[in-house]
Amino acid sequence: MYDIVSIGETMLRLSPPIPMRLEQAASLEVHFGGSESNTLVGLSRLGAKTCWISRLPDHPIGQQVARLIGMHGVDTSHIVWTAEDRLGVYFYEPASFPRPGEVIYDRKDSAFTHLAQTELPIKPLMHCRWLHATGISLALNPQIRSVMEFAKTKARSNGAKVSFDFNYRAKLWGIDQAIDGSSQWV
């Protein structure tokens, strides 16, 4: 039995060394970031039994994502692996006063955005106390929204509670779309 399961995308983050701007950088630092996996890492460190469901490309970078999340105690054994798609990427330029930080997404057609309901691992959803979802996943496309709805239904049918982090990203969808697409989660 898992304390908490979450479904989401973790992406490759490329950043210039501070205080450089993206257009000035001769090299970029490599990091990984994903709201759902970050949440699970934190909960795992607090002693919760956690499981992350995602869809990753089966290549060294995708495998590194799984290893880095798994080394914090998160169960990554339910990742759906694919040889056909890419890992989402985002470029993050950290804030350096007086300018704000900047994010450029390159995640269209990433492996996670192609996760199909037929691929979704059901067992973790049937054996969890809690399912955690975010507005980021819902914003990606109608297919992922449908997968997330299916996951919510499966988890609730077995007595799991559901938590939702609105986590609005204006670059992914407008506020009216976000309110409409997230309304059944709050």
Side-chain angles (χ1 to χ4, degrees):
M1 174 68 79
Y2 295 106
D3 294 313
I4 187 161
V5 171
S6 194
I7 304 166
E9 180 175 38
T10 292
M11 298 169 47
L12 174 67
R13 183 182 94 197
L14 300 172
S15 297
I18 297 173
M20 303 292 284
R21 308 232 28 199
L22 282 165
E23 69 260 14
Q24 298 169 314
S27 63
L28 298 172
E29 297 173 354
V30 174
H31 304 275
F32 296 97
S35 180
E36 300 84 3
S37 57
N38 290 347
T39 298
L40 292 174
V41 164
L43 290 169
S44 181
R45 287 179 167 186
L46 292 171
K49 188 171 181 187
T50 61
C51 175
W52 181 58
I53 298 172
S54 192
R55 187 170 187 269
L56 292 173
D58 193 5
H59 58 49
I61 299 171
Q63 293 161 9
Q64 184 178 8
V65 169
R67 268 193 312 277
L68 290 173
I69 294 167
M71 73 184 219
H72 294 284
V74 177
D75 182 353
T76 59
S77 67
H78 298 281
I79 290 170
V80 176
W81 294 100
T82 176
E84 301 169 4
D85 298 308
R86 62 191 280 278
L87 187 67
V89 176
Y90 69 106
F91 300 86
Y92 175 64
E93 184 178 276
S96 184
F97 186 80
R99 66 176 164 77
E102 178 68 27
V103 177
I104 300 169
Y105 291 108
D106 181 15
R107 72 190 322 166
K108 186 177 180 181
D109 292 323
S110 67
F112 182 73
T113 65
H114 293 285
L115 179 64
Q117 184 174 312
T118 56
E119 295 177 302
L120 185 68
I122 300 300
K123 190 174 181 179
L125 299 169
M126 306 295 277
H127 300 285
C128 68
R129 291 185 177 88
W130 211 278
L131 173 66
H132 178 68
T134 74
I136 295 171
S137 291
L138 299 181
L140 296 177
N141 63 42
Q143 178 177 318
I144 294 298
R145 279 194 296 282
S146 176
V147 168
M148 296 300 292
E149 281 295 322
F150 178 76
K152 178 175 73 170
T153 300
K154 283 293 182 192
R156 279 190 172 156
S157 73
N158 286 285
K161 296 182 188 303
V162 176
S163 60
F164 181 73
D165 178 357
F166 190 71
N167 209 337
Y168 175 67
R169 297 288 196 266
K171 290 187 176 188
L172 295 178
W173 57 355
I175 190 68
D176 292 336
Q177 287 177 298
I179 290 168
D180 184 52
S182 304
S183 61
Q184 66 274 13
W185 287 85
V186 292

